[in-house]
Amino acid sequence: MPTWWEHLTHVATGRSRRHVDLPDLRHLPSRRVSLERTHYVVNDPERHHRGQRLYVLRHEADRRSRRPARVAVFSNGRDVGYLPSRVAATLAPHLDTLGGAAVVNGAGPATDSIRLRVDLPTAAALAVYTETRAAIEEERMTRITWQGIESPSTETCEIEFSERGMVANGVVDTDGGRLTYRVETDATGAFRLADLAIGGRALGLSFSDGRWLVNGEHRGDLDGATEIDISATPLTNTLPIRRLNLSIGESADIDTAWIAVPDLTVVRDAQRYTRVGERQWLYESRDSDFRATLMVDDDGVVLDYPGLFRAVL
């Protein structure tokens, strides 16, 4: 069964989050373990293509027994067995640290057998991985407050940086009302999703394969743009700064989907970014004479946007 179909089946059944959202343990040193209570018959095509498959481990509460750990294994959209109790007891605490589920390689059955096997990370490798991951995720949580200068506003934004990308949730109190927003990027820093709401109005944007959807409708006039720019917050300046990752002296021209607040209208806007210092970026509008030198932190988050926004430290 193709991996994309496994993704769809798991999501549709509600038994797992999307595989791309789960910690991937397949690169760690591993050992092969046979499952208990295997009740899934593997067909011949799966035997021949098992190298392309993956299994999902999930720590589950066992209401039928008092065993401390019960780790189920999912494949092709359904549970296919359980880890041996002793192995599960060692693995379960690490799964809990990782959010309760993770992806491992599916080794498939041995010849002439229906008993499935999985490749599990060694205890030492898994311990190092979970500790490192927890430390990284804790260090990459940022909470910042901005004050609007030209148009009075107060904003609080929480930003999470992880190996999966950036997620930002903000609340902006403006003269036009309270704006709430959520912005997501992928692991490369490319914009993917945004949701905004203010004064009873809502706006949803998504960008994938070069196509922009605004409230579910394709906006061909935006195709070719690569970022969003929300007028009421400097948060969205962080996206091109991080994605472009220019060297000092380098410039890049981009097009954005510019969002007016409080109207929540979306138009295309041409911009240029030039890195002029270690933490200084020159922003220029290519449709007007507006320009400003932004001061950012090590993560590319704006600390000072002259005349418009200033971080409250």
Side-chain angles (χ1 to χ4, degrees):
M1 178 174 287
T3 300
W4 67 266
W5 181 255
E6 289 191 10
H7 290 189
L8 178 61
T9 307
H10 277 285
V11 173
T13 58
R15 291 176 174 173
S16 173
R17 293 169 291 173
R18 294 177 301 161
H19 294 166
V20 294
D21 292 335
L22 298 178
D24 192 337
L25 309 180
R26 291 176 291 174
H27 65 287
L28 300 178
S30 63
R31 66 193 191 283
R32 190 152 293 178
V33 176
S34 295
L35 304 185
E36 296 178 344
R37 289 176 283 168
T38 298
H39 52 269
Y40 175 63
V41 178
V42 178
N43 58 34
D44 287 339
E46 288 173 320
R47 289 181 189 276
H48 290 103
H49 296 89
R50 62 176 179 254
Q52 299 178 6
R53 295 176 53 218
L54 51 79
Y55 289 174
V56 172
L57 307 179
R58 182 173 293 282
H59 185 197
E60 297 183 337
D62 190 348
R63 298 183 179 87
R64 297 170 296 179
S65 74
R66 296 182 179 180
R67 286 180 297 179
R70 182 171 180 259
V71 177
V73 182
F74 292 83
S75 179
N76 295 334
R78 54 179 173 175
D79 56 320
V80 298
Y82 298 85
L83 297 184
S85 299
R86 184 174 299 177
V87 175
T90 301
L91 189 69
H94 296 293
L95 283 179
D96 289 341
T97 301
L98 296 172
V103 170
V104 296
N105 274 325
T111 304
D112 300 324
S113 172
I114 65 169
R115 191 176 186 189
L116 298 181
R117 300 171 300 168
V118 293
D119 291 336
L120 296 180
T122 63
L126 187 56
V128 171
Y129 177 83
T130 53
E131 290 175 5
T132 302
R133 182 183 174 94
I136 291 174
E137 290 189 349
E138 182 178 356
E139 293 171 359
R140 305 294 282 175
M141 286 292 298
T142 298
R143 182 183 178 91
I144 189 167
T145 298
W146 287 294
Q147 292 288 342
I149 301 172
E150 182 179 74
S151 299
S153 66
T154 301
E155 174 179 359
T156 300
C157 181
E158 291 186 349
I159 310 169
E160 178 182 355
F161 300 104
S162 73
E163 60 185 16
R164 297 184 299 275
M166 186 193 84
V167 178
N169 290 281
V171 178
V172 190
D173 288 312
T174 73
D175 289 342
R178 168 166 285 189
L179 170 72
T180 61
Y181 68 81
R182 178 181 177 88
V183 175
E184 300 182 17
T185 76
D186 65 14
T188 70
F191 168 75
R192 285 295 174 255
L193 300 169
D195 291 293
L196 301 87
I198 184 173
R201 294 178 294 279
L203 177 68
L205 294 90
S206 64
F207 176 63
S208 180
D209 297 326
R211 288 169 53 89
W212 285 84
L213 298 181
V214 177
N215 289 335
E217 299 292 332
H218 177 223
R219 283 279 302 269
D221 59 309
L222 299 177
D223 291 348
T226 55
E227 319 288 348
I228 64 167
D229 188 356
I230 303 173
S231 66
T233 173
L235 178 278
T236 42
N237 295 99
T238 296
L239 275 63
I241 287 174
R242 287 177 59 85
R243 184 183 63 80
L244 294 170
N245 194 27
L246 301 176
S247 298
I248 295 175
E250 290 184 332
S251 297
D253 290 347
I254 64 171
D255 284 350
T256 72
W258 188 81
I259 304 168
V261 177
D263 297 335
L264 298 189
T265 54
V266 186
V267 297
R268 189 170 182 143
D269 186 45
Q271 303 174 359
R272 175 177 296 123
Y273 280 83
T274 303
R275 190 171 189 177
V276 295
E278 189 64 33
R279 296 187 180 183
Q280 292 81 36
W281 290 71
L282 175 64
Y283 165 87
E284 297 174 274
S285 169
R286 289 158 50 208
D287 295 329
S288 70
D289 59 359
F290 179 83
R291 56 191 294 164
T293 300
L294 315 182
M295 175 72 72
V296 304
D297 66 11
D298 290 338
D299 289 318
V301 178
V302 175
L303 301 178
D304 185 39
Y305 192 140
L308 292 181
F309 304 99
R310 180 180 298 115
V312 179
L313 304 177

